[in-house]
Amino acid sequence: MTNVPQDIRQRVETLRSTLEDHNHFYYVLDDPRIPDAEYDRMFRELQKLEADYPGLASEQSPTRRVGSSADTSFHSVTHRLPMLSLDNAFSEDELRDFDRRVRERLGVDASVEYVCEPKLDGLAVSLHYEHGLLTRAATRGDGYTGEDITANIRTIPSVPLKLRGSGYPDLVEVRGEVYMPRAGFEKLNARLAEQGEKTFVNPRNAAAGSLRQKKSTVTAKRPLELCAYSMAVTDESVLPETHWDSLQQVREWGFRINPEMRKAEGVESCLEAYSALMLKRDSLPYEIDGIVFKVNRLDFQQALGFVSRAPRWAIAHKFPAQEELTVIEGVEFQVGRTGAVTPVARLKPVFVGGVTVSNATLHNMDEIRRLDAHIGDTVFIRRAGDVIPQVVKVVPDKRPDNAATVEMPEHCPVCGSDIVQIEGEAVARCSGGLYCPAQRKEAIRHYASRKAMDIEGLGDRLIEVLVDEGMVNTVADLYRLTKFQIASLERMGDKSATNLIAAIDRSREPALWRFLYALGIREVGEATAKALASYFGTLEAISGADEDTLQAVPDVGPIVAGHIRSFFDQPHNQETLSELKAAGVSWQEEEVRSIEEAPLNGQTWVLTGTLATLTRDQAKEKLEQLGAKVAGSVSRKTACVVAGESAGSKLAKAEQLGLNVLDEQGLLDLFQEHGLQN
Ligand code: IVH
């Protein structure tokens, strides 16, 4: 210790206090003042110095917040002052009774001032600070003895390891709630689910589970927060006169206190605070299960004292529950606009989170297996915030003997096409994309879109109307529309009807890749469609190819091949293709050319500036037909840069790197040379 140079010692001190300051700004005040990267640099510098000079180790160092792999002790500790619980008021009348009792006991006629605080849904903890340093953190336990969780608590960034400011008594005890904000909870559950681990039912359980970790390194990765709601000190001379002011004191010592906290004069004002907080409940970033009213004056609190296990000066008023039990009466399968088949639980109606819930999504079969949900099961339903109701847990003990397992149907409940689930995907899908009524609007929208058949004027709203009016059921019906029919629709004049018919007509002879892309086969984007078209040349060849053959095309893997096969295997999709043919749509055949033969095979080209005679998309398409890849930025590997009018930095870079540069005429000549007419 003695051989640590003074300047190093000084630097370590500075880094520690600066890092703790920024922790405070970020986690307590929600007011970050430096970029994360700057924080990380200082953090690493401190870590390095502490590793180089082990004599400087300190439990209060911010580097300790990452936790340690040593087991947390959890040995039991006795609370200096018992950690009591709160009585509940279940109605407005009960709250008025509480207020009357308070005033009677105090012998005051006038109204009493209360502090109204959100009742956070987490776990109560007690923190001891000796000479300003965090020395012990404990759970509530049975109120008299709890468990020592100091190592885990130290990892929570909003817990000060050292009190801020000065003038604090030798021993300070701060109590508060450790909780997990909603966003962190959702993220944690998503991460756990991805890793195939058990998820938490609600943020409260997640907070409890995270604090109970044997290894504080695990706790450190959990998004926990602490909000202080009371304090006790050995030197009572520092105590202010009110609970409110004591929390301001706690805030100055570096703790987060709840920003929703407010004072209320008299019980009616408390009831207003209850209603106001209830309205805000769903928009808060953390869960609360009610409101706590506390007599503000500390001398009044003293005079009122305690009865059995709860103070006479405080009461909780709960909000409606966000979790209830109910029964899964059946499971239905819904088909979404893109064909995803989703199991939905039909529930015995239950009042939860302020509404009656009679169904809840089960997401997919993996989720059903994870929950081990059966029809007939009693389940926990949770509806928090404006989140849709969720089935969070099955109660296995309540499973009836005749409980039925949930099976994915083989055929789409809407159109009867096969339901397929490609290996490696969680979602099952209806494969009748072109035909299925559930997918109709989406299929038509995609078909008409710019990069597909490019039918100008056929927008989302018009598609809505055409389908709802029964005028268009499949894409083939588009070609049977008459000008008269279209003009009869609301907000469609003669001119727009003529234009639309013309646009539809123009789409009758598409390039094969466009048509293929327009079919909306899952995972077949523009590039894959182009690759398939130039590899196979005709739609018949693609539709007849088995999965192995399909995979010979660059970029087509087993999943894409599976989707292509299942699309063409559906009789309904084949019917629609025949109807399109019958309606006069004839997609062009494409010269089959192996990728290796393409003249620009393996080259990357970049387009920049404005071209006068063709659009960027057209130029790109033609270059791709010649085998080139078209990229957005210039690098040493770029084979050629096409520079149109007012080309800027990309051209400059190309020149700097000495790359090939073509102007528009050069590009047109190239296309001509390879038989690509304008
Ligand atoms: S005061 C003697 N204030 O509610 C007073 N408790 O049922 C003790 N809680 O175990 C608690 N928010 O975990 C108080 N603003 C708040 C609170 C709060 C949540 C929890 C706490 C306690 C339980 C009492």
Side-chain angles (χ1 to χ4, degrees):
M1 198 126 172
T2 41
N3 52 11
V4 179
Q6 187 54 31
D7 57 334
I8 298 288
R9 196 182 293 275
Q10 190 57 48
R11 180 69 186 148
V12 165
E13 275 312 305
T14 310
L15 284 169
R16 283 179 184 162
S17 78
T18 312
L19 286 166
E20 273 307 279
D21 280 349
H22 288 294
N23 243 331
H24 180 73
F25 301 144
Y26 191 101
Y27 290 102
V28 178
L29 305 182
D30 292 327
D31 177 23
R33 299 194 189 165
I34 52 166
D36 289 0
E38 180 65 26
Y39 182 94
D40 293 344
R41 264 192 295 277
M42 286 194 277
F43 193 89
R44 281 194 300 269
E45 186 188 345
L46 178 58
Q47 272 181 321
K48 172 142 198 325
L49 289 175
E50 287 179 350
D52 292 349
Y53 300 94
L56 291 178
S58 157
E59 294 211 301
Q60 267 67 39
S61 174
T63 54
R64 294 292 177 96
R65 289 194 188 272
V66 298
S68 112
S69 56
D71 284 358
T72 300
S73 72
F74 294 130
H75 59 249
S76 67
V77 291
T78 307
H79 294 301
R80 214 168 48 87
L81 304 164
M83 289 183 82
L84 302 163
S85 65
L86 290 168
D87 276 339
N88 281 303
F90 291 100
S91 66
E92 296 194 356
D93 282 347
E94 286 187 19
L95 190 66
R96 290 197 179 93
D97 287 345
F98 162 79
D99 173 61
R100 186 165 351 96
R101 287 195 305 271
V102 165
R103 284 181 297 119
E104 275 170 12
R105 280 201 164 255
L106 293 172
V108 295
D109 277 343
S111 54
V112 166
E113 187 177 62
Y114 295 97
V115 177
C116 316
E117 300 172 9
K119 188 168 188 298
L120 293 162
D121 207 2
L123 290 96
V125 294
S126 144
L127 311 173
H128 281 193
Y129 288 83
E130 288 170 45
H131 305 287
L133 302 184
L134 174 65
T135 49
R136 189 188 96 175
T139 60
R140 176 170 179 270
D142 63 5
Y144 299 98
T145 51
E147 287 175 324
D148 187 319
I149 49 163
T150 315
N152 290 354
I153 283 289
R154 275 188 203 286
T155 68
I156 301 176
S158 48
V159 172
L161 300 176
K162 209 170 166 180
L163 295 181
R164 298 177 72 78
S166 56
Y168 34 74
D170 290 352
L171 177 63
V172 173
E173 179 179 0
V174 172
R175 290 181 180 179
E177 198 84 349
V178 170
Y179 60 98
M180 191 177 286
R182 292 180 208 273
F185 165 72
E186 301 295 344
K187 259 201 211 146
L188 171 64
N189 258 0
R191 194 174 83 209
L192 291 173
E194 207 172 278
Q195 294 165 352
E197 287 185 43
K198 257 183 89 164
T199 53
F200 290 105
V201 165
N202 55 37
R204 207 198 95 83
N205 286 338
S210 302
L211 266 192
R212 225 180 287 119
Q213 292 294 327
K214 277 235 150 288
K215 305 227 178 299
S216 56
T217 43
V218 178
T219 309
K221 295 195 187 94
R222 300 287 171 84
L224 297 172
E225 279 181 12
L226 172 91
C227 192
Y229 56 63
S230 77
M231 66 113 145
V233 287
T234 38
D235 175 5
E236 302 212 340
S237 69
V238 306
L239 270 188
E241 287 181 2
T242 62
H243 171 66
W244 180 272
D245 289 343
S246 77
L247 290 185
Q248 305 309 312
Q249 173 74 267
V250 163
R251 185 174 57 183
E252 275 159 28
W253 287 339
F255 291 87
R256 172 188 275 271
I257 60 172
N258 197 292
E260 307 303 325
M261 214 168 62
R262 55 179 264 194
K263 292 186 220 173
E265 190 69 39
V267 69
E268 295 309 317
S269 183
C270 288
L271 287 167
E272 276 166 30
Y274 174 85
S275 311
L277 188 60
M278 176 108 116
L279 282 178
K280 244 186 151 176
R281 182 186 194 187
D282 285 353
S283 64
L284 295 174
Y286 43 81
E287 295 215 331
I288 58 175
D289 57 352
I291 187 165
V292 186
F293 301 111
K294 298 175 182 170
V295 170
N296 194 18
R297 273 175 58 169
L298 293 179
D299 57 339
F300 281 178
Q301 287 193 3
Q302 193 84 42
L304 287 161
F306 299 86
V307 59
S308 68
R309 310 197 51 194
R312 286 205 192 87
W313 44 263
I315 196 156
H317 196 174
K318 291 275 193 88
F319 291 146
Q322 292 185 316
E323 261 163 34
E324 291 290 352
L325 286 181
T326 190
V327 174
I328 299 185
E329 293 182 328
V331 173
E332 281 176 18
F333 290 84
Q334 285 180 351
V335 189
R337 331 169 356 108
T338 59
V341 180
T342 308
V344 176
R346 297 281 167 241
L347 305 168
K348 186 160 172 251
V350 60
F351 192 73
V352 56
V355 297
T356 301
V357 170
S358 45
N359 46 58
T361 177
L362 289 165
H363 302 286
N364 52 51
M365 295 308 283
D366 287 350
E367 173 73 356
I368 292 179
R369 278 186 286 273
R370 190 185 70 77
L371 289 164
D372 188 30
H374 288 56
I375 296 166
D377 268 342
T378 295
V379 290
F380 276 85
I381 294 296
R382 185 176 139 78
R383 184 188 171 273
D386 33 23
V387 180
I388 53 169
Q390 306 279 332
V391 176
V392 287
K393 192 180 154 83
V394 166
V395 186
D397 297 350
K398 295 203 175 188
R399 176 168 297 161
D401 292 339
N402 64 353
T405 54
V406 181
E407 306 283 354
M408 176 61 73
E410 285 179 11
H411 302 289
C412 171
V414 180
C415 78
S417 298
D418 290 346
I419 289 179
V420 288
Q421 185 166 3
I422 305 285
E423 222 179 285
E425 294 214 314
V427 179
R429 294 180 186 276
C430 161
S431 50
L434 274 190
Y435 168 83
C436 181
Q439 300 173 64
R440 227 164 240 176
K441 290 177 182 169
E442 180 59 24
I444 299 169
R445 190 199 58 71
H446 177 74
Y447 184 85
S449 64
R450 197 171 57 82
K451 289 194 169 158
M453 303 294 268
D454 195 15
I455 305 180
E456 217 184 313
L458 189 56
D460 293 2
R461 272 190 50 84
L462 186 56
I463 293 170
E464 246 350 86
V465 177
L466 289 171
V467 173
D468 291 346
E469 295 286 320
M471 289 158 71
V472 171
N473 287 326
T474 69
V475 287
D477 293 337
L478 292 172
Y479 297 94
R480 300 197 195 94
L481 285 171
T482 63
K483 191 180 125 189
F484 178 73
Q485 270 181 311
I486 297 172
S488 72
L489 296 172
E490 222 174 286
R491 282 196 241 186
M492 284 299 281
D494 216 46
K495 183 146 182 275
S496 32
T498 310
N499 287 345
L500 181 59
I501 291 288
I504 293 174
D505 269 342
R506 276 198 303 275
S507 75
R508 279 182 206 269
E509 287 182 15
L512 176 59
W513 75 263
R514 255 182 203 281
F515 183 69
L516 188 58
Y517 172 66
L519 296 178
I521 305 169
R522 272 208 82 70
E523 309 258 349
V524 177
E526 205 189 329
T528 308
K530 283 176 183 164
L532 284 162
S534 69
Y535 186 89
F536 288 102
T538 66
L539 192 70
E540 289 65 32
I542 299 169
S543 123
D546 62 22
E547 290 186 28
D548 284 345
T549 315
L550 287 166
Q551 286 181 56
V553 178
D555 281 349
V556 176
I559 292 185
V560 184
H563 284 302
I564 298 171
R565 244 340 328 125
S566 72
F567 178 90
F568 287 110
D569 282 343
Q570 292 315 301
H572 285 316
N573 290 340
Q574 290 292 356
E575 275 162 34
T576 308
L577 287 173
S578 308
E579 279 181 43
L580 278 165
K581 233 183 222 170
V585 180
S586 62
W587 40 95
Q588 294 156 21
E589 295 197 353
E590 197 153 308
E591 193 188 327
V592 182
R593 188 165 44 204
S594 83
I595 304 294
E596 293 75 28
E597 286 168 28
L600 306 184
N601 177 41
Q603 301 186 8
T604 303
W605 285 52
V606 171
L607 293 163
T608 182
T610 322
L611 301 172
T613 57
L614 70 179
T615 66
R616 273 254 185 125
D617 277 347
Q618 287 167 334
K620 174 169 181 249
E621 192 180 306
K622 291 201 160 112
L623 284 169
E624 284 171 349
Q625 281 177 35
L626 298 178
K629 266 205 188 125
V630 178
S633 60
V634 175
S635 77
R636 231 171 263 288
K637 297 207 178 97
T638 307
C640 184
V641 172
V642 178
E645 210 40 48
S646 36
S649 62
K650 289 183 194 172
L651 175 58
K653 183 158 182 203
E655 283 166 349
Q656 188 197 337
L657 293 173
L659 302 175
N660 291 328
V661 176
L662 267 191
D663 62 7
E664 179 163 356
Q665 193 52 53
L667 183 69
L668 294 176
D669 292 346
L670 176 83
F671 290 156
Q672 184 114 44
E673 188 187 320
H674 292 287
L676 297 175
Q677 303 307 330
N678 217 1

